[in-house]
Amino acid sequence: MTDPPALGIDLGTTNSVVAVVEGEQPETLVNSEGDRLTPSVVAISDAGERLVGAEAANQAVKNPAETVESVKRRMGDDVTFDLQGDEYLPEQVSAMILAKLRRDAAEYLGGESQRAVITVPAYFSEDQRQATKDAGAIAGFDEVAILSEPVAAAVAYGLHDEDVRTVAVVDLGGGTFDVSLIEQGSANDFHVEATAGDTDLGGDDWDRRLADWVHSQFEAEHGVRADDSPQAVQRLQEAAEEAKQRLSAQSETTINIPFFTQADGQPLHVDETLSRDQFEELTQSLVDRLEPPIEDVLDEAGMSQSEIDEVILVGGATRLPAVERRVERVLGQEPRRVLHSDEIVAHGAAIRAVDLTDSQSATLVQDVTPFDLGVETRHGRFEPVISRNTTVPATETKTFATSERNQTRLRLSIYQGNRPVARENRLLGHCVVSGLPPMPPGAIALDVSFSLRRDGTLDVSVSGPTGEIHEDVSVDDVSGLSDEEIERMRLEAEQHAREDQRQARLAKEKTRAEQLLSFVEHNLSQDRFPAPEQSALEEARVDLVDALDSAESPDEIEEYRNELERAIPRRHLGHGTDDD
Ligand code: AMP
C-alpha cells in the first residue's frame, strides 16, 4: 500500500483546515463531524473528557476556565495553559488540534500521514515557526515544513503566470487581519516582500458589533438583558455570526432567538430585522481599520498601488461585501476571489506538500524574515546582521571589533527583533569566542556570519583575523523544544489518542451489549426460550449486566457479550427480529 499523502494544514486562530492533493487538484477533507472547518479550540469537559474542535467550541461559553481558544496567538510565548490541573505549553495545545486533524484525515485516507506542510502568518518569528513545527512533531508527524500563509494562497490561486510579478494578499480571518505583498521570481517562486496587519481585527468583531446591537434593541423593547446567562450570550453570538454571513448574500435578514430569556416568568424571544445597509453602518469603523495596514505594507515595500498586478482575497471574512469594496478602493483594482476563500491557504499547503513527498522537485517557495537578526554591541545596542524583509535563505557577514584592552574572550549575544536596544528584543542564544590574543581595544576584527535557513534555523559563525577562531552555533533548538521534550509530549499525545480510541470502543461495545440484552430480555419475558437453556441464559445475562455496570475495559464487555450469545439456542441466533 502506498503511504497516505502529506497533509496541507492551515492551523488558524479560529478555524483549521486540512487539504490533500490526491489527483490533480487540492481537496479539503471533512472532519469526523462532517465539517470542512475545525474550530481551533481545545477543552476538558465537566466529565474530564478532552474535547477538540466543534465539541470544544460548543461548550466554550459555559466552561471558559477549561477551554483554550486562539492558542495561535500564544505560539512561541513562554506561557502555559492550565486544564484541570495539568499545565500545557502552547505547542502542546496546538498539537492536540493537529492530532485531531491528522486522525480525522486518516479516516478518509486510510492511514495516518507522516508528513505535513503547516502554514503560519508571514510575520511569525523564528520562535513562533519553531513552536509550530514542534507542535507538528508532538502530534506525531515525522516531517513538518512551515509555509507562509500568503505564499500558500498565491500558490493555490495558481498565479504562476509570468506576467504576474507582485501580488497583494489580503487575509481577513475570524480573529486577525494580514496584508502581504509577495513577488514572483521565476515561475511559481514567491517571496514575501513586506507584511503588515492588525492582530486584533477579524470577523469575530463584526459578530460582536451585531450581537451588541441586537442585545440593545432587545433591552430597549423588554427592559431586560441576558448578560448573566452564558447560554443566552452564546446563542446570541452564534445568531449574530449567522446573520452576518447571510447579509453577505442578501440585503436584509431577521434574527430569531426563541426563549432568549425571561421576565416575570414570561419567556422573551429575540426577533429583529436588519438590513445590510444598517449592518454596514454599524461596522463602518471596523472596515476603516483595514486601511492603515494596507498603506503600511505599500510603504514598507516602497511601492504604489499601480505596481500591484493582482489582489487576492483570503479568509472567510473577506466575503463581507464592504470589506471587498474597501480593499478594491484602497488598492485600486478589483480583487480576485475564489469560492472557498477560507480553504485556499490549506490548498496551497497541500500543493506544497506534494513537493515534500517528491523531494526531486525542491520547494521554490521563499520567505522573508520579518525581524532583524543581530548581536548586542557596546552599551547594549542591537546591531542587525540580517535585516528584516531579507529573502530567506540568507547569509550576511558583518565585522565587529573587540572593545576592551587585552580582551581574550568575547561573548556574543544573538537577538531577534526590530528594537534598537538589544534586551528589548528576543534573545536567541550566545556564542563564545575565546583565545583571542591580548591587544589594544579595536585591534581585533571578527567576522560574524549569520546564515538563516528556510526552515527557520540560524547558524552563527565567528572567525578572527588568524582564521583560527571559529565558532558555530545553531540557534534552532534555543528557541524550540529539545528532542526529548518533543518525544515525551508526542508519547503523551499518542496516549491520549489511544485513550480516545479506547473510549470510542467502550461506547461501541456497551451499545452492542445493550442491544443483545434487550433482545434476550424481551424473549425471556415472552418465555420464548426452551426451558433447559433458560437458566444458563439467565446466568449469562446477569454477568453481562454486571459487566456493563462495572467494566472499564471494552474487552471485558465483549467477552461477556460473547458468552451470552453462545448461551442463546441456535435457532434464535440472528436476532434481528425477535418474532421467529
Ligand atoms: P477563517 O478564519 O478564514 O475561517 O474566517 C472565519 C471568519 O469568516 C468568521 O468570522 C466567519 O464568520 C467569517 N465568514 C465566513 N463566511 C462568511 C460570509 N459568507 N460572510 C461574512 N463572513 C463570513
Side-chain angles (χ1 to χ4, degrees):
M1 203 188 98
T2 53
D3 287 344
L7 305 180
I9 301 179
D10 171 7
L11 184 61
T13 309
T14 34
N15 293 305
S16 295
V17 182
V18 180
V20 292
V21 177
E22 278 204 296
E24 292 283 300
Q25 295 295 325
E27 193 185 338
T28 302
L29 301 186
V30 296
N31 61 19
S32 58
E33 291 80 38
D35 298 323
R36 303 162 79 84
L37 269 56
T38 300
S40 305
V41 185
V42 169
I44 306 279
S45 74
D46 293 344
E49 248 183 305
R50 181 184 289 178
L51 308 173
V52 183
E55 282 184 315
N58 292 341
Q59 54 84 69
V61 173
K62 66 174 201 290
N63 184 26
E66 301 294 341
T67 304
V68 183
E69 292 181 280
S70 305
V71 64
K72 186 171 180 177
R73 295 185 188 280
R74 310 310 302 269
M75 288 303 275
D77 286 358
D78 193 12
V79 291
T80 54
F81 299 93
D82 183 325
L83 286 173
Q84 290 211 333
D86 288 323
E87 298 288 321
Y88 297 94
L89 294 167
E91 38 276 62
Q92 284 178 292
V93 177
S94 290
M96 294 174 198
I97 300 167
L98 289 169
K100 173 184 166 54
L101 301 174
R102 183 168 180 246
R103 263 201 311 277
D104 289 0
E107 283 282 306
Y108 175 84
L109 299 169
E112 290 199 320
S113 299
Q114 295 308 326
R115 294 175 309 269
V117 171
I118 304 176
T119 57
V120 297
Y123 60 78
F124 253 29
S125 68
E126 311 313 327
D127 280 4
Q128 291 168 308
R129 283 163 199 252
Q130 187 59 48
T132 306
K133 257 188 138 168
D134 290 348
I138 297 166
F141 289 106
D142 287 339
E143 201 183 334
V144 175
I146 299 294
L147 177 66
S148 274
E149 288 159 11
V151 172
V155 168
Y157 266 88
L159 300 179
H160 33 62
D161 194 328
E162 293 283 305
D163 293 342
V164 178
R165 297 266 315 135
T166 307
V167 182
V169 183
V170 178
D171 181 351
L172 186 65
T176 55
F177 174 54
D178 297 307
V179 201
S180 311
L181 285 182
I182 61 177
E183 292 247 318
Q184 184 165 207
S186 53
N188 222 13
D189 160 15
F190 295 100
H191 64 268
V192 181
E193 192 63 32
T195 164
D198 184 336
T199 51
D200 239 356
L201 180 67
D204 300 350
D205 294 301
W206 273 257
D207 304 346
R208 271 192 288 275
R209 284 278 166 95
L210 184 46
D212 288 348
W213 177 82
V214 171
H215 214 158
S216 47
Q217 293 292 107
F218 179 86
E219 186 182 13
E221 276 165 46
H222 302 286
V224 285
R225 291 181 64 88
D227 299 296
D228 51 359
S229 158
Q231 274 86 350
V233 169
Q234 176 160 5
R235 289 174 73 205
L236 177 57
Q237 264 170 25
E238 283 166 5
E241 180 172 10
E242 285 163 15
K244 169 192 78 174
Q245 297 187 357
R246 286 195 299 277
L247 285 172
S248 293
Q250 59 204 50
S251 57
E252 191 176 276
T253 194
T254 47
I255 298 147
N256 280 307
I257 311 175
F259 303 98
F260 180 57
T261 186
Q262 52 174 317
D264 308 323
Q266 288 303 308
L268 298 173
H269 319 293
V270 169
D271 182 10
E272 297 294 340
T273 300
L274 180 73
S275 71
R276 187 194 287 170
D277 288 346
Q278 274 175 296
F279 174 59
E280 291 189 349
E281 210 168 292
L282 278 174
T283 51
Q284 159 105 35
S285 61
L286 295 173
V287 178
D288 291 341
R289 285 171 59 192
L290 298 169
E291 288 198 21
I294 298 179
E295 277 151 14
D296 287 352
V297 89
L298 287 172
D299 273 359
E300 177 91 47
M303 281 189 188
S304 67
Q305 41 159 261
S306 61
E307 288 170 84
I308 295 171
D309 301 312
E310 290 279 359
V311 176
I312 64 180
L313 298 179
V314 180
T318 55
R319 294 199 186 106
L320 289 161
V323 169
E324 181 171 354
R325 285 201 309 272
R326 185 63 66 95
V327 170
E328 177 167 352
R329 202 175 87 200
V330 184
L331 284 171
Q333 65 173 291
E334 196 182 326
R336 278 220 213 184
R337 62 159 52 259
V338 283
L339 205 53
H340 297 299
S341 54
D342 39 12
E343 297 170 25
I344 195 83
V345 167
H347 286 191
I351 294 170
R352 280 298 166 214
V354 174
D355 292 346
L356 194 64
T357 316
D358 173 13
S359 53
Q360 297 299 310
S361 66
T363 61
L364 286 168
V365 176
Q366 288 186 333
D367 248 331
V368 294
T369 167
F371 296 101
D372 293 333
L373 290 161
V375 297
E376 180 174 6
T377 59
R378 265 175 89 70
H379 306 302
R381 263 194 329 115
F382 177 59
E383 183 67 38
V385 177
I386 294 181
S387 21
R388 64 187 300 211
N389 286 334
T390 300
T391 302
V392 178
T395 300
E396 302 280 347
T397 303
K398 270 206 176 164
T399 306
F400 295 93
T402 48
S403 57
E404 284 160 40
R405 176 166 302 278
N406 296 340
Q407 185 174 359
T408 58
R409 194 170 174 279
L410 180 82
R411 189 174 131 103
L412 278 177
S413 299
I414 299 145
Y415 287 91
Q416 171 190 50
N418 299 325
R419 312 274 297 266
V421 176
R423 67 185 149 67
E424 312 244 63
N425 294 313
R426 188 186 286 266
L427 179 65
L428 291 178
H430 303 282
C431 172
V432 178
V433 183
S434 52
L436 297 171
M439 299 274 250
I444 300 179
L446 296 165
D447 284 333
V448 177
S449 289
F450 276 28
S451 287
L452 183 60
R453 287 201 295 266
R454 212 175 264 163
D455 65 2
T457 56
L458 176 72
D459 284 312
V460 179
S461 68
V462 186
S463 55
T466 59
E468 288 163 21
I469 312 153
H470 184 88
E471 283 276 319
D472 255 327
V473 294
S474 173
V475 298
D476 55 353
D477 46 35
V478 173
S479 56
L481 301 168
S482 70
D483 287 351
E484 292 81 55
E485 280 171 311
I486 289 183
E487 194 45 39
R488 184 177 54 71
M489 292 174 182
R490 193 171 170 149
L491 280 174
E492 271 174 29
E494 257 173 34
Q495 268 159 11
H496 267 281
R498 248 178 259 139
E499 176 59 21
D500 293 347
Q501 273 160 8
R502 198 187 69 88
Q503 290 289 356
R505 226 195 108 216
L506 187 63
K508 198 161 126 196
E509 282 303 334
K510 282 187 171 166
T511 312
R512 292 177 70 181
E514 281 159 8
Q515 280 167 352
L516 182 65
L517 278 173
S518 114
F519 164 79
V520 169
E521 282 162 2
H522 176 72
N523 280 288
L524 278 172
S525 71
Q526 307 281 311
D527 244 349
R528 290 229 176 101
F529 295 122
E533 276 106 348
Q534 268 190 20
S535 66
L537 261 171
E538 183 53 28
E539 213 171 290
R541 185 192 73 81
V542 172
D543 284 349
L544 183 56
V545 170
D546 288 349
L548 263 182
D549 271 353
S550 60
E552 278 301 302
S553 101
D555 290 345
E556 210 175 316
I557 297 176
E558 189 183 7
E559 193 186 313
Y560 286 108
R561 180 175 54 78
N562 284 336
E563 238 154 69
L564 179 57
E565 246 183 49
R566 277 195 292 272
I568 298 174
R570 280 200 157 261
R571 67 179 191 83
H572 287 274
L573 282 177
H575 45 267
T577 69
D578 56 1
D579 292 319
D580 59 347

